[in-house]
Amino acid sequence: MDHFIYRDGALYAEDVPVAEIAAAVGTPFYVYSTATLLRHFRLFDEALAGLDHLVCYAMKAASNQAILKTLAQAGAGMDVVSQGEYLRAKAAGVSGDKIVFSGVGKTAEEIRTALTGGIRQFNVESEPEMAAINAVALDLGVVAPITIRVNPDVDAKTHAKIATGKSENKFGIPISRARDVYALAASMKGLDVIGIDVHIGSQLTELEPFRLAYQKVAELTETLRADGHDIRRLDLGGGLGIPYESSNTAPPLPIDYGAMVKESLGHLNVEIEIEPGRLIAGNSGIMVSKVIYVKQGEDRQFLILDGAMNDLIRPAMYEAHHDIIPVIEAEPGMQQTAYDIVGPVCESGDTFAKGRHMAPLKADELVAFRSAGAYGAVMSSEYNSRPLIPEVLVNGDQFAVIRKRPTFDEMINRDTIPEWL
Ligand code: LLP
């Protein structure tokens, strides 16, 4: 459920007409709903009620300061994967003891920043990285809390580019080698080995792969405890999918996921941490774009929008589906037209949808891409020298620009000219 609905034929973001935002900020733009963000965070928090737990929002999904602050004020921790994300989380007021540092290639500088500023734990992905964290911790005279990310070799049954839990993926250490790697970690004086981490992929639409992975983690917890490790925290990653197509069956809900977690791991008496990104941000945001032209091709009609692959890359990169709806609702019973919906960028890959059936649209009319809150704005670029599009946050009947559109001068003047030119 989200808060982008039609009222009297006009699309609203909470209590604000989307067309009103478009008039104020111009198109294209992203708009997020505070109520939806909070609702999704709370669904996870409530699903894990009864367990000692922390929901660490995977801020890679949408990392605007205003979004982070909204979630942090509701009690969320953060999962970060770079120094930039770490500093963003801190700037949004998240304390170090609620920040988890994930990612396969943390540099010594990133480790130092986190150890100096405070960190809940590092999720370690390899032995060399473990050695690097140990070295920086010893140098600073501190002890770094760590979990080790294990790769359980399960098939997440999702798009190949976002599956991470098979042995051929670059993530984690093979679960078969876990005992040796934990023994090595325990021998390092700069490390405090507190738990196990696992994350098998993103946009999972079934619970079974999670269950398989978590059962393996449960077994490993018992084995490692028997080996003398004080395993007291399990980080279960993110990955629960969202319904992108209103016509498809919906993925399991956070409450079902929570029940499965309790069933698989509840007996272990450990603290549970999860890192959802997409489920919190995905349906909390839409991208709004304007029709520039309707173009008649040889055998099809193209809807040419002012938004493009540089603004929302998911369809080009993962063949992802986003529902695209008119901002002014079509009259009921209107004959539908099949459109290829494209942007103005000079590549055929700049196609959002092929043969999409919609009520007829004209130039200057607005459309909204649903489920664009996660991995939308954060993956955008200025390809074709198209300035980054603004982000807007709605809260009830108020809205605010939370990242403004740069002017053309600002974009151009970010470059510097060497003195010989
Ligand atoms: N934890 C770790 C270690 C991750 O790598 C990820 C996502 C998450 C948590 C959050 O997963 P989520 O709950 O959002 O599924 N750009 C792609 C998705 C990439 C996901 C990367 N890792 C897309 O647009 O579909």
Side-chain angles (χ1 to χ4, degrees):
M1 200 212 114
D2 61 45
H3 291 77
F4 299 100
I5 46 171
Y6 290 112
R7 284 191 205 165
D8 294 329
L11 186 66
Y12 274 66
E14 300 190 18
D15 298 328
V16 184
V18 168
E20 189 181 315
I21 305 173
V25 306
T27 54
F29 63 91
Y30 281 99
V31 53
Y32 307 94
S33 150
T34 300
T36 316
L37 284 165
L38 291 176
R39 180 185 137 79
H40 291 162
F41 164 71
R42 289 185 183 132
L43 286 178
F44 275 118
D45 208 28
E46 286 160 17
L48 296 179
L51 295 175
D52 182 8
H53 71 275
L54 183 67
V55 178
C56 292
Y57 169 59
M59 61 178 278
K60 62 167 77 68
S63 57
N64 188 289
Q65 292 294 291
I67 293 176
L68 302 187
K69 208 156 188 152
T70 300
L71 292 169
Q73 284 179 358
M78 298 285 155
D79 170 51
V80 309
V81 291
S82 70
Q83 189 164 356
E85 285 195 349
Y86 178 84
L87 295 173
R88 271 185 178 278
K90 292 288 291 230
V94 185
S95 64
D97 62 2
K98 287 180 117 178
I99 304 178
V100 173
F101 208 136
S102 301
V104 285
K106 303 169 199 76
T107 66
E109 184 190 328
E110 291 181 315
I111 296 163
R112 188 172 290 272
T113 299
L115 280 176
T116 312
I119 191 77
R120 180 174 179 80
Q121 99 235 3
F122 292 98
N123 292 334
V124 175
E125 297 241 6
S126 65
E127 286 117 310
E129 188 187 62
M130 197 156 86
I133 296 172
N134 183 50
V136 177
L138 291 177
D139 188 43
L140 291 172
V142 298
V143 175
I146 65 153
T147 70
I148 297 174
R149 178 170 176 180
V150 292
N151 185 323
D153 196 22
V154 301
D155 183 355
K157 302 201 181 124
T158 184
H159 191 283
K161 284 188 185 158
I162 53 175
T164 56
K166 286 290 286 173
S167 58
E168 70 256 30
N169 301 129
K170 68 181 174 184
F171 300 95
I173 56 138
I175 200 160
S176 55
R177 284 185 36 231
R179 291 178 77 182
D180 289 347
V181 180
Y182 272 83
L184 178 67
S187 74
M188 295 186 176
K189 298 272 175 290
L191 304 182
D192 179 15
V193 184
I194 60 170
I196 306 173
D197 172 44
V198 70
H199 169 80
I200 57 173
S202 194
Q203 186 53 19
L204 271 69
T205 53
E206 295 169 31
L207 288 183
E208 237 11 69
F210 286 117
R211 192 192 307 275
L212 282 174
Y214 296 170
Q215 278 165 357
K216 290 190 181 193
V217 168
E219 279 165 32
L220 181 62
T221 303
E222 317 250 25
T223 309
L224 293 176
R225 281 178 171 170
D227 286 349
H229 302 283
D230 181 14
I231 301 298
R232 50 200 189 272
R233 184 179 294 164
L234 300 180
D235 182 330
L236 306 179
L240 191 59
I242 62 169
Y244 276 100
E245 289 190 55
S246 44
S247 52
N248 275 8
T249 48
L253 301 171
I255 191 77
D256 307 322
Y257 172 86
M260 180 271 298
V261 166
K262 288 176 188 168
E263 216 178 284
S264 316
L265 304 163
H267 60 288
L268 291 169
N269 190 25
V270 275
E271 185 183 1
I272 297 291
E273 216 167 64
I274 56 167
E275 305 168 347
R278 190 190 311 267
L279 202 141
I280 291 178
N283 284 326
S284 304
I286 58 174
M287 184 181 81
V288 179
S289 184
K290 191 167 73 182
V291 177
I292 312 179
Y293 299 116
V294 182
K295 171 174 169 170
Q296 183 62 55
E298 171 79 21
D299 59 351
R300 62 193 66 212
Q301 288 211 72
F302 294 98
L303 208 54
I304 304 176
L305 304 182
D306 63 357
M309 64 189 287
N310 68 299
D311 305 312
L312 176 64
I313 203 170
R314 302 193 67 260
M317 194 152 172
Y318 314 109
E319 296 87 36
H321 173 102
H322 286 266
D323 279 349
I324 303 172
I325 59 171
V327 167
I328 302 300
E329 201 175 15
E331 299 287 328
M334 189 98 108
Q335 181 82 33
Q336 302 226 319
T337 305
Y339 289 115
D340 278 14
I341 304 178
V342 303
V345 161
C346 303
E347 311 197 11
S348 298
D350 186 22
T351 298
F352 291 121
K354 286 199 160 153
R356 187 69 68 87
H357 289 269
M358 295 185 73
L361 281 156
K362 296 193 295 292
D364 292 334
E365 290 183 334
L366 299 174
V367 294
F369 287 71
R370 292 180 55 81
S371 319
Y375 308 111
V378 284
M379 294 182 78
S380 59
S381 75
E382 290 184 336
Y383 185 41
N384 278 208
S385 287
R386 297 165 43 85
L388 284 183
I389 67 175
E391 294 180 284
V392 174
L393 182 64
V394 167
N395 185 16
D397 60 3
Q398 323 174 59
F399 73 91
V401 174
I402 55 172
R403 186 181 72 191
K404 77 176 192 61
R405 191 190 310 277
T407 63
F408 287 106
D409 277 347
E410 282 165 347
M411 181 181 69
I412 294 165
N413 292 333
R414 240 182 270 137
D415 300 355
T416 49
I417 307 287
E419 61 186 19
W420 64 82
L421 286 177

